[in-house]
Amino acid sequence: MKSLPVTLVLGFAGSGKTSLIKHLSSQTKNTVEHIQSGSQNLSSGCICCSGLKDLKQLINDLLVDKETEKVDTQQLFIEASHETDPIPVIRTIRQHFSPEKIILKEVITVINATKYPPTDAQRYLVTNQIFFADKIVVNYCDQATDYQINKCYKHIRGVKWQPIFNAIRGIIEFNQVFPVPSVLETSTIISFAS
């Protein structure tokens, strides 16, 4: 069995995480399953705190279903909740699953350009979500002023230098390169959004 690639999507409330995941999944013409917090599968909310046990169980269940050919999942998107610290989530994926079974391919942080920086967030969480991201998506560029977009870029570049993509409601602008793995046939989305 080929290892299952995982994309962890971070961002504060209203940043457009779900829209981005739907956009990326639609580019691959996949069947998408969306498991939301509050469902019977997810008894706890934030995956960086009490939800790590649920996350491990959901991934284990998915891997068992994949091995027994109940599902043909080729890509896993994990949508983190509002104030998720990426450190415990990344650690959990890397320490509890062998790379032969599951591999964290990338971390994407979605930022709402019209509401950045979030006023209700702890500063270290904003920094961690940028620092641990492989890519940043600056969303709602159609509603933001040039000043707001430039402020996002300046803050991001002050934390880490990684690719930044502009988006409108989770849709990456057509002139930007945002590769979606071509091997995707079925995507599963596990959402811990609050």
Side-chain angles (χ1 to χ4, degrees), residues 10 12 84-87 109 111 116-118 121-133 136 155-156 158-160 162:
L10 303 165
F12 289 88
T84 296
D85 185 350
I87 296 170
T109 295
I111 292 172
Y116 190 80
Q122 296 181 29
R123 187 176 181 95
Y124 84 94
L125 291 174
V126 176
T127 301
N128 281 358
Q129 286 193 7
I130 293 169
F131 184 79
F132 287 97
I136 303 286
H155 185 258
I156 293 163
V159 175
K160 184 179 174 189
Q162 72 271 68

Side-chain angles (χ1 to χ4, degrees), residues 2-190:
K2 194 172 169 184
S3 63
L4 181 65
V6 175
T7 300
L8 174 61
V9 181
L10 303 165
F12 289 88
S15 63
K17 299 179 297 290
T18 304
S19 298
L20 176 68
I21 291 172
K22 286 180 180 178
H23 171 67
L24 293 176
S25 294
S26 73
Q27 300 301 306
T28 62
K29 299 177 183 168
N30 297 329
T31 304
V32 176
E33 179 182 346
H34 199 162
I35 302 171
Q36 301 230 4
S37 64
S39 72
Q40 62 186 27
N41 296 328
L42 299 174
S43 59
S44 48
C46 180
I47 58 175
C48 69
C49 304
S50 58
L52 287 174
K53 182 179 176 184
D54 287 345
L55 176 63
K56 288 187 280 189
Q57 187 61 53
L58 285 168
I59 292 172
N60 277 326
D61 292 348
L62 180 62
L63 291 173
V64 167
D65 287 349
K66 186 172 171 51
E67 287 174 8
T68 59
E69 298 181 356
K70 288 183 182 176
V71 296
D72 186 29
T73 303
Q74 299 296 319
Q75 170 75 35
L76 173 62
F77 289 96
I78 299 174
E79 180 181 343
S81 60
H82 174 61
E83 287 194 20
T84 296
D85 185 350
I87 296 170
V89 181
I90 293 168
R91 185 183 315 120
T92 296
I93 293 169
R94 290 192 174 147
Q95 290 180 351
H96 293 280
F97 299 98
S98 75
E100 292 80 32
K101 294 203 176 228
I102 195 164
I103 187 162
L104 183 61
K105 296 255 328 165
E106 65 184 351
V107 178
I108 301 171
T109 295
V110 185
I111 292 172
N112 183 339
T114 66
K115 298 177 181 177
Y116 190 80
T119 55
D120 62 339
Q122 296 181 29
R123 187 176 181 95
Y124 84 94
L125 291 174
V126 176
T127 301
N128 281 358
Q129 286 193 7
I130 293 169
F131 184 79
F132 287 97
D134 300 302
K135 297 174 184 165
I136 303 286
V137 174
V138 176
N139 204 6
Y140 298 106
C141 288
D142 60 324
Q143 299 172 18
T145 65
D146 287 343
Y147 172 78
Q148 289 172 313
I149 294 169
N150 288 333
K151 187 167 105 176
C152 289
Y153 272 71
K154 184 178 178 183
H155 185 258
I156 293 163
R157 291 295 182 235
V159 175
K160 184 179 174 189
W161 195 273
Q162 72 271 68
I164 301 174
F165 301 89
N166 290 345
I168 298 172
R169 291 178 195 83
I171 299 173
I172 307 298
E173 292 180 0
F174 67 89
N175 62 344
Q176 299 180 80
V177 178
F178 199 92
V180 177
S182 60
V183 300
L184 304 182
E185 294 171 8
T186 306
S187 291
T188 298
I189 299 177
I190 298 177

